[in-house]
Amino acid sequence: MIDLQLTDDGVATLTLQAPPCNEIGLPMLQALEAALDRVQAAPGVRALVIASGQRGGFSAGADLRALYAHIEGRGADEWRGDLRGFIERIHALMSRLDGLPITTVAAIHGVCFGGGLELALVCDVRIAERSARFAFPELRLGLVPGFGGVPRLRRDVGGAVVRDLLLTGRSLNAKRALEVGLVAQMVPPGRGLEVAVATARQAALHDPETVAAAKAFAKPALEDELRAERELFLRLFERPVVAQALATFCASTDVRPYLATR
Amino acid sequence: MTATEQRLIELAAATFSVSATGLTADADMFEALGIDSLKALELLSEVELEFDVQIPDYELRGVTTFRALAAKIDERR
């Protein structure tokens, strides 16, 4: 599910390897936690690259099929605690990644949607291949992003872009993402990982204590906003419209039905 | 076939490494290219960058042929 490489130059590369497109459910959460444990325990790691080994993209977001399977036919009283536990655990992981005292770089190609975009947003530097597309499609399901995406997007880009992505659910291409400051660079197809690693290597040359201090200064914590987003997500999730939307999603035979174009 | 349709077919074929020979404007893009909705978004990115247009995702609902997508492109140029 995740391939982690630690090299002598101080750069760790974490590659997501869960077909079809690195959906984030409990197995991916556990794999990310374990990989992060290894990164933090390894001596000499000064930068981290997060990339995808899947052709379709960086990540299509939360594993909605697994989520629906957990709630289908059950009352909210039966799954409310599990859902809160999952959301709080993934928030803890995202905040851990967000606050790592080393430079983190995302290499993004193809689909970077929903929870996948939220994962990219915890990274300090985002490199997008020409094929990359970014979206928060959660409103189509009657939800808001639930992994910390809105506060972190708001931290990096202007309110007009936040509302465009959030309220329309439309996707932005890599060029537009570069224009609005969502990514740092747009690179040709197939070059994302190479550029991300080169960027990480450059960042790894700096004094670790200075990097940690600079990052903490430039990237403030967002605990109050993150807590508010969690509560909003959990409240919205209990409405019947969400279960209905998830059922429709799961009934489709397409790989990512909410993207269906036919 | 219009110039946009021809250019679109060549772009799509190159993006997914299939031969453009024999592809017609009325061909079903998904079948002709062997793509699903995930890969259709990759095509949308290539189209937007190549033709310098932006096409909202919802406008692609029901668009299955090269001709229909070419029409969406021409509407925005």
Side-chain angles (χ1 to χ4, degrees), chain A residues 37-60:
Chain A
D37 286 344
R38 286 184 59 200
V39 168
Q40 291 191 288
V45 175
R46 293 187 169 194
L48 172 67
V49 172
I50 300 181
S52 163
Q54 297 301 306
R55 169 74 169 81
F58 184 75
S59 170

Side-chain angles (χ1 to χ4, degrees), chain A residues 136-145 165-169:
Chain A
F136 275 145
E138 283 83 354
L139 260 71
R140 300 182 203 179
L141 299 169
L143 290 168
V144 294
L165 278 166
L166 179 68
L167 300 178
T168 70

Side-chain angles (χ1 to χ4, degrees), chain B:
Chain B
M1 190 181 296
T2 68
T4 303
E5 290 165 355
Q6 182 66 42
R7 208 169 136 201
L8 171 61
I9 286 172
E10 288 169 3
L11 174 69
T15 300
F16 297 107
S17 302
V18 302
S19 171
T21 306
L23 292 181
T24 67
D26 289 318
D28 183 306
M29 293 185 294
F30 294 84
E31 290 178 9
L33 301 170
I35 62 174
D36 53 29
S37 62
L38 207 59
K39 290 181 180 169
L41 286 165
E42 185 177 340
L43 176 60
L44 179 58
S45 276
E46 290 297 336
V47 165
E48 289 183 341
L49 295 171
E50 175 71 18
F51 293 93
D52 196 21
V53 294
Q54 286 191 53
I55 303 174
D57 308 36
Y58 71 88
E59 287 207 16
L60 292 181
R61 288 179 193 278
V63 171
T64 58
T65 65
F66 292 109
R67 189 183 305 283
L69 181 52
K72 294 289 182 188
I73 295 167
D74 283 336
E75 284 171 13
R76 284 169 171 74
R77 299 169 74 205

Side-chain angles (χ1 to χ4, degrees), chain A:
Chain A
M1 183 160 283
I2 285 181
D3 176 44
L4 180 62
Q5 291 193 330
L6 307 170
T7 51
D8 292 340
D9 56 10
V11 175
T13 301
L14 187 162
T15 306
L16 308 175
Q17 295 279 23
C21 197
N22 298 322
E23 285 73 14
I24 302 171
L26 189 55
M28 177 63 86
L29 170 59
Q30 290 169 332
L32 283 166
E33 288 171 338
L36 190 51
D37 286 344
R38 286 184 59 200
V39 168
Q40 291 191 288
V45 175
R46 293 187 169 194
L48 172 67
V49 172
I50 300 181
S52 163
Q54 297 301 306
R55 169 74 169 81
F58 184 75
S59 170
D63 188 344
L64 299 178
R65 293 183 193 282
L67 187 58
Y68 183 62
H70 195 70
I71 68 166
E72 185 182 11
R74 302 169 72 203
D77 287 346
E78 295 177 77
W79 50 254
R80 183 181 292 119
D82 290 344
L83 181 63
R84 175 174 286 278
F86 175 76
I87 291 297
E88 289 182 348
R89 190 167 159 187
I90 198 144
H91 265 255
L93 170 78
M94 293 289 191
S95 291
R96 219 175 130 197
L97 280 165
D98 196 52
L100 280 178
I102 59 175
T103 302
T104 54
V105 185
I108 302 162
H109 70 274
V111 168
C112 184
F113 276 24
L117 176 52
E118 295 177 288
L119 178 60
L121 283 167
V122 303
C123 295
D124 303 325
V125 181
R126 290 177 285 277
I127 309 292
E129 291 188 12
R130 182 182 160 94
S131 64
R133 286 198 83 82
F134 303 85
F136 275 145
E138 283 83 354
L139 260 71
R140 300 182 203 179
L141 299 169
L143 290 168
V144 294
F147 298 171
V150 174
R152 293 196 175 99
L153 181 65
R154 193 155 50 198
R155 179 175 62 186
D156 285 359
V157 304
V161 177
V162 175
R163 289 188 295 277
D164 185 356
L165 278 166
L166 179 68
L167 300 178
T168 70
R170 69 174 179 157
S171 56
L172 303 183
N173 65 39
K175 182 182 174 195
R176 181 74 182 134
L178 181 65
E179 288 169 351
V180 301
L182 179 55
V183 303
Q185 284 187 69
M186 183 174 82
V187 299
R191 298 282 306 280
L193 180 58
E194 170 194 336
V195 174
V197 169
T199 303
R201 281 192 184 126
Q202 180 171 340
L205 297 174
H206 301 306
D207 168 58
E209 190 177 338
T210 311
V211 169
K215 179 165 168 174
F217 178 67
K219 202 176 179 191
L222 303 162
E223 276 315 308
D224 289 345
E225 288 180 77
L226 291 169
R227 189 178 307 109
E229 185 195 84
R230 276 200 302 273
E231 295 307 319
L232 176 59
F233 175 89
L234 291 167
R235 179 168 63 80
L236 291 174
F237 196 96
E238 295 205 10
R239 297 171 311 140
V241 66
V242 174
Q244 289 163 11
L246 287 172
T248 301
F249 175 95
C250 294
S252 170
T253 55
D254 197 352
V255 63
R256 298 303 295 178
Y258 59 58
L259 311 179
T261 55
R262 55 189 316 198

